[in-house]
């Protein structure tokens, strides 16, 4: 029997007044997390930074907790506190470094910082001095990304220092995991194995969303998927196994007819090759619908000829002209004249236009589209309310 799903509306834009709507399928999100958890014997957490990739910590974390997720990763202490507010018993790691003024927050909240430099380790040790119970921390070691983290030699030296407090979790981050054939993957796995041996008995984590699909990641203890939970494709060389979570739609404001030879939009970058029916929709780059996805008149079109598309009345329709701050135009000439009308919605990504396909048309990745979503949308959260 199919579970009854209820719509949960946030305090966002009134649906009668909004130019667009976001539908977030929390059941699909949970199904994606479970699929990732089944791929590996390691424990599976969830990355919920950037307000759960734009979908809302307050909505995402409780359903993941209900599904069995017990470990979450945030970028900032402020985000970690919001996770704790809705999942007080969750284990929450903060990824983006440590600053001394945040120490009282860690003392009071049980957030766990991920330390990634000798400076941060020294600072953490100094601030913990005199405490009977030392606060826990995780250690980030850079095995090939040249971003945050101790280098491998520093990590090995720290492991050998008998006077040093040891972390409760050892992590590194894969730089090329979405490309499974890339040689850097193996190099990072080997370096991390060496570090793991040096930190014997300490929990270890290497697998992000694509990393979970690497057999070598099964040797470690904790996975930390991000974008795949939210429906993004984890790998570049295989069809996306994840269910779509987010559907973005915009209202059609007006339908115009342009005459062959006329131009469309700012810069007159599109000249009509036929009489053209144009649906002007209430969405633009102020809403996170990126200007680079325009049908013409942006630098990306010199490299990738096709711009973005919408889906309406059962068919895909191309963006025409430039995306502007509040409006985007679509060529609907190939639809029946009575197929759409003002007030109807056009899908920008969702079940009919994959998130990552929409992103590629804008020269970017699904992460950026999700985390750029603006606050003018009406949001609907769909959830059965069941944990199984």
């Amino acid at each position: 029997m199919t579970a009854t799903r209820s719509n949960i509306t946030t305090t966002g834009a009134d649906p009668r007044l909004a130019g667009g709507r976001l539908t977030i399928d929390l059941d699909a999100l949970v199904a994606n997390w479970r699929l990732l958890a089944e791929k590996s014997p390691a424990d599976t957490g969830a990355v919920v930074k950037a307000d759960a990739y734009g979908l809302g910590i307050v909505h995402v974390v409780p359903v993941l907790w209900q599904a069995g997720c017990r470990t979450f990763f945030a970028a900032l202490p402020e985000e970690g506190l919001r996770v704790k507010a809705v999942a007080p018993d969750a284990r929450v790691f903060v990824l983006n470094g440590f600053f001394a003024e945040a120490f009282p927050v860690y003392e009071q909240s049980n957030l766990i910082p991920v330390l990634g430099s000798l400076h941060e380790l020294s600072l953490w040790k100094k601030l913990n001095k005199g405490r009977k119970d030392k606060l826990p921390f995780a250690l980030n070691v850079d095995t090939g990304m040249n971003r945050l983290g101790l280098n491998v030699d520093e990590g090995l030296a720290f492991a050998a220092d008998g006077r040093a407090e040891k972390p409760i979790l050892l992590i590194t981050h894969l730089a090329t995991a979405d490309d499974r054939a890339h040689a850097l993957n193996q190099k990072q796995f080997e370096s991390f194995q060496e570090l793991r041996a040096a930190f014997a008995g300490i929990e270890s984590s290497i697998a992000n969303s694509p990393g979970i699909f690497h057999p070598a990641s099964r040797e470690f203890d904790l996975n930390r998927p991000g974008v795949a939970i939210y429906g993004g494709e984890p790998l570049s060389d295989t069809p996306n196994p994840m269910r779509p979570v987010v559907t973005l739609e915009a209202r059609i404001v007006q339908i115009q007819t342009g005459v062959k030879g006329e131009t469309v939009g700012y810069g007159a970058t599109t000249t009509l090759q036929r009489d053209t029916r144009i649906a002007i929709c209430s969405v633009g780059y102020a809403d996170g619908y990126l200007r680079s996805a325009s049908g013409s008149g942006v630098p990306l079109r010199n490299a990738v000829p096709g711009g973005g598309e919408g889906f309406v009345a059962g068919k895909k329709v191309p963006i025409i002209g430039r995306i502007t701050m509040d409006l985007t135009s679509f060529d609907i000439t190939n639809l029946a004249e009575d197929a759409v009308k003002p007030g109807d919605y056009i899908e920008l990504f969702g079940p009919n236009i994959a998130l990552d396909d929409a992103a590629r048309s804008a020269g970017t990745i699904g992460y950026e589209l999700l985390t750029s979503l603006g606050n003018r949308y009406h949001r609907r959260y769909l959830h059965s309310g069941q944990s199984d």
Side-chain angles (χ1 to χ4, degrees):
M1 182 176 176
T2 302
T4 301
R5 285 152 60 101
S6 58
N7 290 344
I8 307 169
T9 304
T10 69
T11 57
D14 187 316
R16 300 168 300 173
L17 310 178
R21 67 186 178 193
L22 282 167
T23 303
I24 296 101
D25 186 341
L26 295 175
D27 292 334
L29 182 141
V30 168
N32 288 342
W33 179 81
R34 286 182 170 146
L35 175 64
L36 294 165
E38 291 167 2
K39 289 287 180 184
S40 169
D43 187 23
T44 298
V47 179
V48 293
K49 61 185 180 179
D51 200 21
Y53 284 57
L55 305 190
I57 283 173
V58 69
H59 296 284
V60 167
V61 168
V63 298
L64 289 176
W65 176 267
Q66 186 181 30
C69 183
R70 294 294 179 263
T71 301
F72 297 88
F73 293 85
L76 304 167
E78 184 272 334
E79 293 175 338
L81 291 175
R82 283 192 281 148
V83 174
K84 282 287 193 178
V86 293
D89 296 326
R91 185 172 64 155
V92 183
F93 292 95
V94 178
L95 295 166
N96 278 24
F98 170 71
F99 299 97
E101 55 266 40
F103 187 71
V105 173
Y106 287 98
E107 286 186 299
Q108 298 160 16
S109 65
N110 293 321
L111 296 177
I112 304 168
V114 179
L115 306 182
S117 71
L118 296 178
H119 167 73
E120 289 178 355
L121 286 167
S122 175
L123 190 59
W124 187 254
K125 180 179 179 180
K126 177 181 178 182
L127 291 169
N128 267 284
K129 188 175 182 180
R131 286 184 57 92
K132 182 179 179 180
D133 298 318
K134 307 298 183 187
L135 295 179
F137 68 95
L139 183 67
N140 184 10
V141 181
D142 189 339
T143 57
M145 194 163 182
N146 279 308
R147 200 170 64 169
L148 298 178
L150 279 69
N151 63 43
V152 173
D153 288 342
E154 289 172 335
L156 293 171
F158 183 75
D161 185 351
R163 299 168 300 171
E165 292 287 332
K166 293 301 185 279
I168 64 168
L169 175 68
L170 178 70
I171 75 168
T172 195
H173 196 65
L174 293 168
T176 58
D178 58 326
D179 179 1
R180 288 183 288 184
H182 201 291
L184 183 55
N185 292 318
Q186 186 60 32
K187 180 181 177 182
Q188 289 194 260
F189 278 120
E190 290 173 358
S191 293
F192 199 56
Q193 282 285 30
E194 184 182 7
L195 287 158
R196 188 189 186 206
F199 285 93
I202 291 173
E203 191 177 13
S204 60
S205 175
I206 192 171
N208 50 12
S209 288
I212 290 172
F213 292 81
H214 288 258
S217 69
R218 298 178 182 179
E219 300 178 28
F220 303 99
D221 306 301
L222 175 65
N223 298 326
R224 49 180 203 278
V227 74
I229 298 173
Y230 309 98
E233 58 185 33
L235 299 169
S236 58
D237 59 353
T238 61
N240 188 0
M242 316 314 297
R243 287 172 53 178
V245 172
V246 185
T247 300
L248 172 61
E249 300 168 288
R251 274 185 185 268
I252 296 174
V253 178
Q254 189 173 343
I255 297 174
Q256 294 273 20
T257 299
V259 176
K260 179 180 179 179
E262 293 181 343
T263 61
V264 177
Y266 281 127
T269 59
T270 295
T271 300
L272 300 177
Q273 302 302 306
R274 59 179 178 175
D275 291 351
T276 304
R277 293 173 61 241
I278 305 168
I280 299 95
C281 299
S282 184
V283 68
Y285 55 76
D287 304 293
Y289 196 56
L290 304 180
R291 185 178 183 271
S292 54
S294 298
S296 61
V298 292
L300 182 63
R301 295 288 76 84
N302 296 327
V304 183
E309 295 178 307
F311 184 88
V312 65
K315 293 185 177 180
K316 291 182 179 179
V317 293
I319 295 173
I320 187 170
R322 283 176 174 159
I323 294 171
T324 63
M325 184 181 291
D326 312 294
L327 298 167
T328 300
S329 296
F330 294 85
D331 183 345
I332 60 168
T333 310
N334 292 340
L335 302 180
E337 288 206 15
D338 61 351
V340 295
K341 63 185 184 301
D344 288 349
Y345 285 92
I346 184 168
E347 179 188 317
L348 307 179
F349 60 79
N352 300 293
I353 297 177
L355 168 67
D356 291 280
D357 288 343
R360 276 186 280 270
S361 72
T364 187
I365 53 178
Y367 301 73
E368 185 175 17
L369 287 192
L370 289 179
T371 58
S372 298
L373 293 171
N375 58 13
R376 299 197 293 188
Y377 299 115
H378 169 63
R379 292 186 174 217
R380 302 185 304 165
Y381 290 85
L382 306 182
H383 184 39
S384 66
Q386 296 190 354
S387 61
D388 52 34

PDB file of all heavy atoms in Angstrom, residues 87-114:
ATOM      1  N   ALA A  87      18.149  17.722  15.614  1.00  0.00           N
ATOM      2  CA  ALA A  87      18.601  16.362  15.923  1.00  0.00           C
ATOM      3  C   ALA A  87      19.608  16.449  17.071  1.00  0.00           C
ATOM      4  O   ALA A  87      20.815  16.316  16.868  1.00  0.00           O
ATOM      5  CB  ALA A  87      19.220  15.699  14.696  1.00  0.00           C
ATOM      6  N   PRO A  88      19.148  16.677  18.280  1.00  0.00           N
ATOM      7  CA  PRO A  88      20.048  16.959  19.407  1.00  0.00           C
ATOM      8  C   PRO A  88      21.062  15.861  19.689  1.00  0.00           C
ATOM      9  O   PRO A  88      22.153  16.137  20.202  1.00  0.00           O
ATOM     10  CB  PRO A  88      19.084  17.131  20.594  1.00  0.00           C
ATOM     11  CG  PRO A  88      17.762  17.457  19.974  1.00  0.00           C
ATOM     12  CD  PRO A  88      17.724  16.736  18.665  1.00  0.00           C
ATOM     13  N   ASP A  89      20.724  14.618  19.372  1.00  0.00           N
ATOM     14  CA  ASP A  89      21.617  13.500  19.678  1.00  0.00           C
ATOM     15  C   ASP A  89      22.552  13.149  18.522  1.00  0.00           C
ATOM     16  O   ASP A  89      23.334  12.199  18.625  1.00  0.00           O
ATOM     17  CB  ASP A  89      20.797  12.265  20.056  1.00  0.00           C
ATOM     18  CG  ASP A  89      19.997  12.473  21.328  1.00  0.00           C
ATOM     19  OD1 ASP A  89      20.490  13.196  22.223  1.00  0.00           O
ATOM     20  OD2 ASP A  89      18.891  11.929  21.433  1.00  0.00           O
ATOM     21  N   ALA A  90      22.477  13.904  17.439  1.00  0.00           N
ATOM     22  CA  ALA A  90      23.326  13.617  16.277  1.00  0.00           C
ATOM     23  C   ALA A  90      24.781  13.941  16.586  1.00  0.00           C
ATOM     24  O   ALA A  90      25.094  14.835  17.389  1.00  0.00           O
ATOM     25  CB  ALA A  90      22.864  14.430  15.070  1.00  0.00           C
ATOM     26  N   ARG A  91      25.669  13.203  15.936  1.00  0.00           N
ATOM     27  CA  ARG A  91      27.087  13.529  15.963  1.00  0.00           C
ATOM     28  C   ARG A  91      27.345  14.454  14.781  1.00  0.00           C
ATOM     29  O   ARG A  91      27.065  14.107  13.630  1.00  0.00           O
ATOM     30  CB  ARG A  91      27.917  12.254  15.852  1.00  0.00           C
ATOM     31  CG  ARG A  91      29.421  12.477  15.984  1.00  0.00           C
ATOM     32  CD  ARG A  91      30.179  11.169  16.057  1.00  0.00           C
ATOM     33  NE  ARG A  91      30.072  10.364  14.849  1.00  0.00           N
ATOM     34  CZ  ARG A  91      30.981   9.453  14.477  1.00  0.00           C
ATOM     35  NH1 ARG A  91      32.042   9.234  15.233  1.00  0.00           N
ATOM     36  NH2 ARG A  91      30.815   8.756  13.389  1.00  0.00           N
ATOM     37  N   VAL A  92      27.866  15.652  15.054  1.00  0.00           N
ATOM     38  CA  VAL A  92      27.991  16.676  14.019  1.00  0.00           C
ATOM     39  C   VAL A  92      29.433  17.162  13.939  1.00  0.00           C
ATOM     40  O   VAL A  92      29.981  17.699  14.910  1.00  0.00           O
ATOM     41  CB  VAL A  92      27.053  17.873  14.287  1.00  0.00           C
ATOM     42  CG1 VAL A  92      27.161  18.891  13.156  1.00  0.00           C
ATOM     43  CG2 VAL A  92      25.611  17.398  14.442  1.00  0.00           C
ATOM     44  N   PHE A  93      30.042  16.978  12.766  1.00  0.00           N
ATOM     45  CA  PHE A  93      31.393  17.452  12.502  1.00  0.00           C
ATOM     46  C   PHE A  93      31.340  18.746  11.700  1.00  0.00           C
ATOM     47  O   PHE A  93      30.508  18.886  10.796  1.00  0.00           O
ATOM     48  CB  PHE A  93      32.191  16.400  11.722  1.00  0.00           C
ATOM     49  CG  PHE A  93      32.493  15.153  12.501  1.00  0.00           C
ATOM     50  CD1 PHE A  93      31.665  14.040  12.410  1.00  0.00           C
ATOM     51  CD2 PHE A  93      33.601  15.093  13.329  1.00  0.00           C
ATOM     52  CE1 PHE A  93      31.935  12.883  13.122  1.00  0.00           C
ATOM     53  CE2 PHE A  93      33.886  13.943  14.055  1.00  0.00           C
ATOM     54  CZ  PHE A  93      33.050  12.832  13.958  1.00  0.00           C
ATOM     55  N   VAL A  94      32.249  19.658  12.017  1.00  0.00           N
ATOM     56  CA  VAL A  94      32.325  20.951  11.332  1.00  0.00           C
ATOM     57  C   VAL A  94      33.591  20.966  10.490  1.00  0.00           C
ATOM     58  O   VAL A  94      34.706  20.880  11.008  1.00  0.00           O
ATOM     59  CB  VAL A  94      32.324  22.110  12.345  1.00  0.00           C
ATOM     60  CG1 VAL A  94      32.449  23.451  11.623  1.00  0.00           C
ATOM     61  CG2 VAL A  94      31.043  22.072  13.188  1.00  0.00           C
ATOM     62  N   LEU A  95      33.435  21.085   9.184  1.00  0.00           N
ATOM     63  CA  LEU A  95      34.516  20.839   8.233  1.00  0.00           C
ATOM     64  C   LEU A  95      35.470  22.008   7.998  1.00  0.00           C
ATOM     65  O   LEU A  95      36.647  21.799   7.708  1.00  0.00           O
ATOM     66  CB  LEU A  95      33.914  20.424   6.878  1.00  0.00           C
ATOM     67  CG  LEU A  95      33.156  19.094   6.858  1.00  0.00           C
ATOM     68  CD1 LEU A  95      32.329  18.990   5.579  1.00  0.00           C
ATOM     69  CD2 LEU A  95      34.129  17.931   6.961  1.00  0.00           C
ATOM     70  N   ASN A  96      34.970  23.226   8.065  1.00  0.00           N
ATOM     71  CA  ASN A  96      35.738  24.362   7.536  1.00  0.00           C
ATOM     72  C   ASN A  96      36.645  25.034   8.552  1.00  0.00           C
ATOM     73  O   ASN A  96      36.582  26.241   8.783  1.00  0.00           O
ATOM     74  CB  ASN A  96      34.791  25.413   6.938  1.00  0.00           C
ATOM     75  CG  ASN A  96      34.356  25.065   5.538  1.00  0.00           C
ATOM     76  OD1 ASN A  96      34.368  23.901   5.159  1.00  0.00           O
ATOM     77  ND2 ASN A  96      33.968  26.059   4.761  1.00  0.00           N
ATOM     78  N   GLY A  97      37.506  24.243   9.183  1.00  0.00           N
ATOM     79  CA  GLY A  97      38.525  24.848  10.037  1.00  0.00           C
ATOM     80  C   GLY A  97      38.008  25.248  11.403  1.00  0.00           C
ATOM     81  O   GLY A  97      36.845  25.089  11.756  1.00  0.00           O
ATOM     82  N   PHE A  98      38.929  25.821  12.196  1.00  0.00           N
ATOM     83  CA  PHE A  98      38.619  26.189  13.578  1.00  0.00           C
ATOM     84  C   PHE A  98      39.253  27.521  13.907  1.00  0.00           C
ATOM     85  O   PHE A  98      40.415  27.785  13.585  1.00  0.00           O
ATOM     86  CB  PHE A  98      39.142  25.116  14.545  1.00  0.00           C
ATOM     87  CG  PHE A  98      39.080  25.532  15.984  1.00  0.00           C
ATOM     88  CD1 PHE A  98      37.862  25.638  16.631  1.00  0.00           C
ATOM     89  CD2 PHE A  98      40.233  25.861  16.683  1.00  0.00           C
ATOM     90  CE1 PHE A  98      37.790  26.054  17.954  1.00  0.00           C
ATOM     91  CE2 PHE A  98      40.182  26.275  18.000  1.00  0.00           C
ATOM     92  CZ  PHE A  98      38.946  26.364  18.634  1.00  0.00           C
ATOM     93  N   PHE A  99      38.462  28.378  14.574  1.00  0.00           N
ATOM     94  CA  PHE A  99      38.938  29.681  15.034  1.00  0.00           C
ATOM     95  C   PHE A  99      38.705  29.783  16.537  1.00  0.00           C
ATOM     96  O   PHE A  99      37.695  29.289  17.062  1.00  0.00           O
ATOM     97  CB  PHE A  99      38.220  30.807  14.305  1.00  0.00           C
ATOM     98  CG  PHE A  99      38.436  30.791  12.817  1.00  0.00           C
ATOM     99  CD1 PHE A  99      37.498  30.216  11.965  1.00  0.00           C
ATOM    100  CD2 PHE A  99      39.597  31.321  12.266  1.00  0.00           C
ATOM    101  CE1 PHE A  99      37.706  30.183  10.600  1.00  0.00           C
ATOM    102  CE2 PHE A  99      39.814  31.296  10.898  1.00  0.00           C
ATOM    103  CZ  PHE A  99      38.870  30.721  10.058  1.00  0.00           C
ATOM    104  N   ALA A 100      39.644  30.421  17.218  1.00  0.00           N
ATOM    105  CA  ALA A 100      39.637  30.425  18.682  1.00  0.00           C
ATOM    106  C   ALA A 100      38.343  30.965  19.270  1.00  0.00           C
ATOM    107  O   ALA A 100      37.840  30.453  20.280  1.00  0.00           O
ATOM    108  CB  ALA A 100      40.828  31.241  19.196  1.00  0.00           C
ATOM    109  N   GLU A 101      37.767  31.993  18.636  1.00  0.00           N
ATOM    110  CA  GLU A 101      36.577  32.600  19.221  1.00  0.00           C
ATOM    111  C   GLU A 101      35.369  31.670  19.212  1.00  0.00           C
ATOM    112  O   GLU A 101      34.376  31.925  19.901  1.00  0.00           O
ATOM    113  CB  GLU A 101      36.230  33.915  18.512  1.00  0.00           C
ATOM    114  CG  GLU A 101      36.053  33.817  17.010  1.00  0.00           C
ATOM    115  CD  GLU A 101      37.312  34.146  16.245  1.00  0.00           C
ATOM    116  OE1 GLU A 101      38.411  33.738  16.696  1.00  0.00           O
ATOM    117  OE2 GLU A 101      37.212  34.820  15.206  1.00  0.00           O
ATOM    118  N   ALA A 102      35.444  30.585  18.436  1.00  0.00           N
ATOM    119  CA  ALA A 102      34.334  29.624  18.390  1.00  0.00           C
ATOM    120  C   ALA A 102      34.423  28.574  19.487  1.00  0.00           C
ATOM    121  O   ALA A 102      33.483  27.782  19.652  1.00  0.00           O
ATOM    122  CB  ALA A 102      34.302  28.941  17.024  1.00  0.00           C
ATOM    123  N   PHE A 103      35.515  28.537  20.248  1.00  0.00           N
ATOM    124  CA  PHE A 103      35.718  27.469  21.220  1.00  0.00           C
ATOM    125  C   PHE A 103      34.573  27.344  22.229  1.00  0.00           C
ATOM    126  O   PHE A 103      34.128  26.223  22.519  1.00  0.00           O
ATOM    127  CB  PHE A 103      37.049  27.653  21.952  1.00  0.00           C
ATOM    128  CG  PHE A 103      37.414  26.500  22.846  1.00  0.00           C
ATOM    129  CD1 PHE A 103      37.799  25.287  22.310  1.00  0.00           C
ATOM    130  CD2 PHE A 103      37.342  26.622  24.227  1.00  0.00           C
ATOM    131  CE1 PHE A 103      38.132  24.210  23.127  1.00  0.00           C
ATOM    132  CE2 PHE A 103      37.669  25.563  25.060  1.00  0.00           C
ATOM    133  CZ  PHE A 103      38.067  24.351  24.504  1.00  0.00           C
ATOM    134  N   PRO A 104      34.052  28.454  22.790  1.00  0.00           N
ATOM    135  CA  PRO A 104      32.937  28.301  23.732  1.00  0.00           C
ATOM    136  C   PRO A 104      31.719  27.605  23.127  1.00  0.00           C
ATOM    137  O   PRO A 104      30.998  26.893  23.828  1.00  0.00           O
ATOM    138  CB  PRO A 104      32.610  29.753  24.131  1.00  0.00           C
ATOM    139  CG  PRO A 104      33.883  30.495  23.907  1.00  0.00           C
ATOM    140  CD  PRO A 104      34.505  29.855  22.695  1.00  0.00           C
ATOM    141  N   VAL A 105      31.507  27.809  21.831  1.00  0.00           N
ATOM    142  CA  VAL A 105      30.390  27.148  21.162  1.00  0.00           C
ATOM    143  C   VAL A 105      30.602  25.640  21.148  1.00  0.00           C
ATOM    144  O   VAL A 105      29.673  24.856  21.403  1.00  0.00           O
ATOM    145  CB  VAL A 105      30.221  27.687  19.729  1.00  0.00           C
ATOM    146  CG1 VAL A 105      29.164  26.895  18.965  1.00  0.00           C
ATOM    147  CG2 VAL A 105      29.867  29.168  19.758  1.00  0.00           C
ATOM    148  N   TYR A 106      31.838  25.217  20.859  1.00  0.00           N
ATOM    149  CA  TYR A 106      32.130  23.784  20.874  1.00  0.00           C
ATOM    150  C   TYR A 106      31.976  23.208  22.283  1.00  0.00           C
ATOM    151  O   TYR A 106      31.505  22.079  22.459  1.00  0.00           O
ATOM    152  CB  TYR A 106      33.533  23.527  20.327  1.00  0.00           C
ATOM    153  CG  TYR A 106      33.630  23.713  18.833  1.00  0.00           C
ATOM    154  CD1 TYR A 106      34.103  24.901  18.282  1.00  0.00           C
ATOM    155  CD2 TYR A 106      33.219  22.701  17.970  1.00  0.00           C
ATOM    156  CE1 TYR A 106      34.178  25.069  16.913  1.00  0.00           C
ATOM    157  CE2 TYR A 106      33.290  22.860  16.599  1.00  0.00           C
ATOM    158  CZ  TYR A 106      33.768  24.054  16.068  1.00  0.00           C
ATOM    159  OH  TYR A 106      33.820  24.219  14.718  1.00  0.00           O
ATOM    160  N   GLU A 107      32.366  23.962  23.291  1.00  0.00           N
ATOM    161  CA  GLU A 107      32.222  23.496  24.664  1.00  0.00           C
ATOM    162  C   GLU A 107      30.757  23.261  25.032  1.00  0.00           C
ATOM    163  O   GLU A 107      30.421  22.316  25.732  1.00  0.00           O
ATOM    164  CB  GLU A 107      32.811  24.529  25.633  1.00  0.00           C
ATOM    165  CG  GLU A 107      34.322  24.576  25.673  1.00  0.00           C
ATOM    166  CD  GLU A 107      34.802  25.514  26.755  1.00  0.00           C
ATOM    167  OE1 GLU A 107      34.490  26.720  26.682  1.00  0.00           O
ATOM    168  OE2 GLU A 107      35.492  25.044  27.676  1.00  0.00           O
ATOM    169  N   GLN A 108      29.896  24.136  24.545  1.00  0.00           N
ATOM    170  CA  GLN A 108      28.498  24.109  24.952  1.00  0.00           C
ATOM    171  C   GLN A 108      27.613  23.216  24.086  1.00  0.00           C
ATOM    172  O   GLN A 108      26.542  22.801  24.526  1.00  0.00           O
ATOM    173  CB  GLN A 108      27.937  25.536  24.938  1.00  0.00           C
ATOM    174  CG  GLN A 108      28.627  26.477  25.909  1.00  0.00           C
ATOM    175  CD  GLN A 108      28.420  27.934  25.561  1.00  0.00           C
ATOM    176  OE1 GLN A 108      27.537  28.286  24.766  1.00  0.00           O
ATOM    177  NE2 GLN A 108      29.237  28.806  26.143  1.00  0.00           N
ATOM    178  N   SER A 109      28.045  22.925  22.877  1.00  0.00           N
ATOM    179  CA  SER A 109      27.143  22.307  21.910  1.00  0.00           C
ATOM    180  C   SER A 109      27.452  20.860  21.556  1.00  0.00           C
ATOM    181  O   SER A 109      26.638  20.198  20.911  1.00  0.00           O
ATOM    182  CB  SER A 109      27.166  23.118  20.614  1.00  0.00           C
ATOM    183  OG  SER A 109      28.459  23.035  20.017  1.00  0.00           O
ATOM    184  N   ASN A 110      28.644  20.380  21.898  1.00  0.00           N
ATOM    185  CA  ASN A 110      29.106  19.046  21.487  1.00  0.00           C
ATOM    186  C   ASN A 110      29.360  18.935  19.984  1.00  0.00           C
ATOM    187  O   ASN A 110      29.443  17.818  19.459  1.00  0.00           O
ATOM    188  CB  ASN A 110      28.126  17.948  21.919  1.00  0.00           C
ATOM    189  CG  ASN A 110      28.071  17.795  23.425  1.00  0.00           C
ATOM    190  OD1 ASN A 110      29.092  17.878  24.094  1.00  0.00           O
ATOM    191  ND2 ASN A 110      26.869  17.599  23.961  1.00  0.00           N
ATOM    192  N   LEU A 111      29.465  20.048  19.289  1.00  0.00           N
ATOM    193  CA  LEU A 111      29.947  20.003  17.908  1.00  0.00           C
ATOM    194  C   LEU A 111      31.403  19.548  17.915  1.00  0.00           C
ATOM    195  O   LEU A 111      32.138  19.791  18.879  1.00  0.00           O
ATOM    196  CB  LEU A 111      29.849  21.374  17.247  1.00  0.00           C
ATOM    197  CG  LEU A 111      28.455  21.968  17.049  1.00  0.00           C
ATOM    198  CD1 LEU A 111      28.569  23.360  16.450  1.00  0.00           C
ATOM    199  CD2 LEU A 111      27.591  21.083  16.176  1.00  0.00           C
ATOM    200  N   ILE A 112      31.819  18.912  16.820  1.00  0.00           N
ATOM    201  CA  ILE A 112      33.186  18.379  16.747  1.00  0.00           C
ATOM    202  C   ILE A 112      33.905  19.046  15.582  1.00  0.00           C
ATOM    203  O   ILE A 112      33.494  18.898  14.422  1.00  0.00           O
ATOM    204  CB  ILE A 112      33.166  16.858  16.535  1.00  0.00           C
ATOM    205  CG1 ILE A 112      32.342  16.185  17.638  1.00  0.00           C
ATOM    206  CG2 ILE A 112      34.591  16.303  16.517  1.00  0.00           C
ATOM    207  CD1 ILE A 112      32.028  14.728  17.349  1.00  0.00           C
ATOM    208  N   PRO A 113      34.981  19.795  15.839  1.00  0.00           N
ATOM    209  CA  PRO A 113      35.690  20.449  14.740  1.00  0.00           C
ATOM    210  C   PRO A 113      36.571  19.467  13.988  1.00  0.00           C
ATOM    211  O   PRO A 113      37.091  18.502  14.556  1.00  0.00           O
ATOM    212  CB  PRO A 113      36.550  21.497  15.459  1.00  0.00           C
ATOM    213  CG  PRO A 113      36.869  20.846  16.768  1.00  0.00           C
ATOM    214  CD  PRO A 113      35.618  20.064  17.140  1.00  0.00           C
ATOM    215  N   VAL A 114      36.723  19.715  12.703  1.00  0.00           N
ATOM    216  CA  VAL A 114      37.681  18.969  11.876  1.00  0.00           C
ATOM    217  C   VAL A 114      38.914  19.853  11.738  1.00  0.00           C
ATOM    218  O   VAL A 114      38.879  20.870  11.046  1.00  0.00           O
ATOM    219  CB  VAL A 114      37.085  18.616  10.508  1.00  0.00           C
ATOM    220  CG1 VAL A 114      38.111  17.872   9.662  1.00  0.00           C
ATOM    221  CG2 VAL A 114      35.818  17.779  10.676  1.00  0.00           C
TER     222      VAL A 114
END
